[in-house]
Amino acid sequence: MLTLLPRRRWAAGLLGAMCFAIAAVAQTPPTAAGPAAETVAPLPGFAELQARGARIGQIHIAARDIFDLEDPRENKLLFRWANAVHINTRPGVIERALLFKSGEPVSVALIEETERVLRSTRYLHEVRIRPLAVHDDNTVDIEVLTRDSWTLDPGLSVSRSGGASSSGIALREFNLLGTGIGLGIGHKKTVDRSSNEFELVNDRAFGGWTSIAVNHAKNSDGKRNSASVAHPFYALDTPWAASASWLDDDRIESIYRAGVIDSQYRHQQRVSEVWSGLSSGRVNGWVRRTSIGVTRQQDRYALAPGLVAPPELPADETLVSPFVRLRLIEDDFRTLLNRNQLQRPETFALGLDAQLQIGRASTALGS
């Protein structure tokens, strides 16, 4: 049986057939007489480039916004506002954290570890390193793509337990003006004391790997100051490290009975530590580090005027302890996506990481 289509449907079918024919002609590959289609060969991976003995050419840093506005799912008013007020990480900060430089041979291990080091920062959400162009002189240009995280972290806490209230308010910026510097201020009130705190952390001081941290707290019953400067084992092949830290804490200690303050006394504590270490880097998939140092801790106790004194004060104590620290790390890491955080590559250490520290407080050194 032959069924006749209505005129409109028949015309639409004819028009569709004509469009299909035009599209088919447009997609027909060129004949031998026509121009050949230009194909772009994919770039080799870093493993192949390393096998070729390629060297690193130019390094391009592409620091991107928090949200990708080219993605319709992220092109929202709130996300556009976040990009507008956020200051991206400066390319120089990222460049100083790279474990490879122009002119050096391509190393897959260093490139992968650079990604781990950059991902460990609080201010980068995504890090990807890829070949950008391969030249005839066996050099490869590399692109370092990063995506920022939101780094302004406000905090507010209120709690009540045992008839006493605690509260706190804080504001911390982990990437001040895109420099990688952390700055924090806050106020905290607990059952023992109230305090105003200030903190400054710079993990890339002096244009290198020197880390500086300063903390100051002015308390209702005293104060606390701490500072540290360190050149850490920032990578598996780092040959040496050193650190010096200092803490000075002055506060009132309370002794409770049935949840009520029974007596109080003043406690002054000073702690300082200096150490340095050496490492031969990766050897057959293992890293061994040896460090030596000394820790000094001094505790002094005194009566506090106007407060109920305890029956007996703790004895003053000074401990001076030299130590030796041994650490063994297995070079076994895996990078996974969507494991604990959505759409963020995460690195997991699957190998052994063991540390042993032995020290002795000696009276000959002042203990």
Side-chain angles (χ1 to χ4, degrees):
M1 179 183 295
L2 178 63
T3 303
L4 296 177
L5 296 174
R7 181 176 300 176
R8 291 182 180 178
R9 297 181 61 185
W10 177 83
L14 179 60
L15 179 61
M18 292 175 62
C19 293
F20 178 80
I22 294 173
V25 172
Q27 294 178 3
T28 302
T31 61
E38 186 175 328
T39 59
V40 179
L43 293 175
F46 285 122
E48 182 180 343
L49 291 168
Q50 177 178 323
R52 292 184 189 176
R55 291 189 169 272
I56 300 172
Q58 295 182 357
I59 300 175
H60 301 268
I61 308 295
R64 296 180 174 177
D65 290 326
I66 301 173
F67 298 101
D68 182 8
L69 301 184
E70 295 182 0
D71 186 345
R73 297 172 299 177
E74 298 188 9
N75 191 2
K76 310 295 183 182
L77 177 62
L78 179 62
F79 299 159
R80 292 195 297 268
W81 174 83
N83 281 352
V85 300
H86 175 77
I87 300 177
N88 285 348
T89 305
R90 298 180 183 180
V93 175
I94 300 171
E95 185 178 5
R96 290 195 296 270
L98 302 180
L99 302 179
F100 53 85
K101 298 179 181 180
S102 297
E104 295 180 345
V106 172
S107 170
V108 175
L110 285 181
I111 291 172
E112 291 179 348
E113 188 172 12
T114 298
E115 290 184 338
R116 295 198 299 266
V117 170
L118 289 173
R119 288 193 192 109
S120 66
T121 62
R122 175 62 175 77
Y123 47 83
L124 293 179
H125 174 79
E126 181 182 352
V127 178
R128 188 154 53 100
I129 302 176
R130 64 184 185 183
L132 188 61
V134 179
H135 303 286
D136 295 336
D137 58 352
N138 203 26
T139 62
V140 54
D141 295 339
I142 291 179
E143 184 176 42
V144 181
L145 292 143
T146 65
R147 189 172 176 181
D148 268 30
S149 291
W150 181 258
T151 54
L152 184 61
D153 185 15
L156 177 65
S157 63
V158 178
S159 63
R160 185 172 179 83
S161 178
S165 299
S166 299
S167 61
I169 183 171
L171 183 65
R172 185 170 185 182
E173 170 60 52
F174 292 93
N175 192 11
L176 184 65
L177 301 177
T179 61
I181 296 175
L183 179 66
I185 57 174
H187 174 78
K188 181 170 58 177
K189 183 178 181 181
T190 66
V191 64
D192 291 315
R193 64 186 57 85
S194 61
S195 63
N196 297 310
E197 299 186 10
F198 168 83
E199 183 181 25
L200 177 68
V201 178
N202 187 0
D203 291 332
R204 300 287 186 272
F206 311 118
W209 287 96
T210 302
S211 173
I212 295 177
V214 178
N215 183 282
H216 169 72
K218 185 177 181 181
N219 306 327
S220 58
D221 59 348
K223 60 182 179 179
R224 185 185 73 250
N225 294 302
S226 66
S228 67
V229 56
H231 182 279
F233 285 112
Y234 56 86
L236 295 179
D237 288 322
T238 303
W240 67 275
S243 172
S245 59
W246 165 77
L247 168 69
D248 187 355
D249 191 4
D250 183 3
R251 63 185 183 271
I252 295 293
E253 300 282 15
S254 301
I255 299 176
Y256 290 84
R257 180 174 296 179
V260 180
I261 295 178
D262 182 68
S263 58
Q264 294 176 302
Y265 59 92
R266 182 163 294 281
H267 180 193
Q268 295 178 314
Q269 183 181 63
R270 293 180 178 176
V271 182
S272 57
E273 181 179 280
V274 178
W275 63 267
S276 63
L278 297 175
S279 172
S280 56
R282 273 174 285 205
V283 179
N284 298 325
W286 292 89
V287 178
R288 295 172 177 83
R289 295 170 177 168
T290 304
S291 304
I292 59 173
V294 60
T295 300
R296 186 179 188 274
Q297 178 173 329
Q298 185 182 59
D299 291 274
R300 296 290 182 264
Y301 305 93
L303 299 178
L307 301 178
V308 178
E312 184 179 1
L313 285 174
D316 293 346
E317 186 176 54
T318 299
L319 297 175
V320 181
S321 174
F323 62 85
V324 176
R325 181 188 301 141
L326 306 175
R327 187 173 181 184
L328 182 65
I329 304 173
E330 184 179 6
D331 183 14
D332 187 2
F333 298 87
R334 295 291 184 274
T335 301
L336 302 177
L337 186 67
N338 292 332
R339 178 62 178 87
N340 292 327
Q341 300 181 11
L342 293 177
Q343 294 301 316
R344 180 173 184 178
E346 300 170 77
T347 301
F348 296 89
L350 304 182
L352 177 69
D353 188 343
Q355 180 171 289
L356 173 66
Q357 180 169 315
I358 301 174
R360 184 175 186 273
S362 170
T363 55
L365 297 176
S367 294

